[in-house]
Amino acid sequence: LRASRVLLVGLRGLGAEVAKNLILAGVRGLTLLDHQQVSPEDSRAQFLIPVGSLGRNRAEASLERAQSLNPMVDVKADPESVESKPHEFFTQFDA
């Protein structure tokens, strides 16, 4: 687990909880992939998004709080759509 590089697609309420658990477990790297913008519902349902992030990209808005959970994990945000990614993009991840 500690050597794994994980891709997490979607950062709504459940995605944020999964991200938190992976980060606290100490995976090597976690990439947060979400192309959606922060909505008013997200700020109430997703604890990684800080107040005042309405209209920002969900992955980018979640990055700072996610990284602060465990500085030993390399957390990255990707604001693109999963459908736009080439097949080769996915080969860098273990899960």
Side-chain angles (χ1 to χ4, degrees), residues 11-13 16 38-54 65:
L11 281 166
R12 300 206 69 157
V38 174
S39 69
E41 295 81 26
D42 291 327
S43 60
R44 292 186 297 271
Q46 209 265 49
F47 61 91
L48 294 175
I49 295 176
V51 175
S53 297
L54 192 63
R65 285 188 176 172

Side-chain angles (χ1 to χ4, degrees), residues 1 4 13 16 20 29 41 45 59 65 68 72 78:
L1 184 66
S4 298
K20 176 198 71 150
E41 295 81 26
R65 285 188 176 172
S68 70
M72 301 298 290
D78 190 327

Side-chain angles (χ1 to χ4, degrees), residues 2-18:
R2 291 184 189 262
S4 298
R5 293 198 174 273
V6 179
L7 173 65
L8 179 62
V9 180
L11 281 166
R12 300 206 69 157
L14 178 60
E17 186 66 25
V18 171

Side-chain angles (χ1 to χ4, degrees), residues 18-78:
V18 171
K20 176 198 71 150
N21 291 335
L22 288 169
I23 293 167
L24 293 178
V27 296
R28 180 175 182 192
L30 176 65
T31 299
L32 309 172
L33 178 67
D34 196 320
H35 70 283
Q36 297 291 325
Q37 304 305 309
V38 174
S39 69
E41 295 81 26
D42 291 327
S43 60
R44 292 186 297 271
Q46 209 265 49
F47 61 91
L48 294 175
I49 295 176
V51 175
S53 297
L54 192 63
R56 288 183 61 199
N57 172 268
R58 232 185 315 213
E60 293 173 338
S62 302
L63 181 61
E64 185 177 344
R65 285 188 176 172
Q67 183 65 73
S68 70
L69 293 171
N70 187 346
M72 301 298 290
V73 176
D74 180 27
V75 183
K76 298 177 183 174
D78 190 327

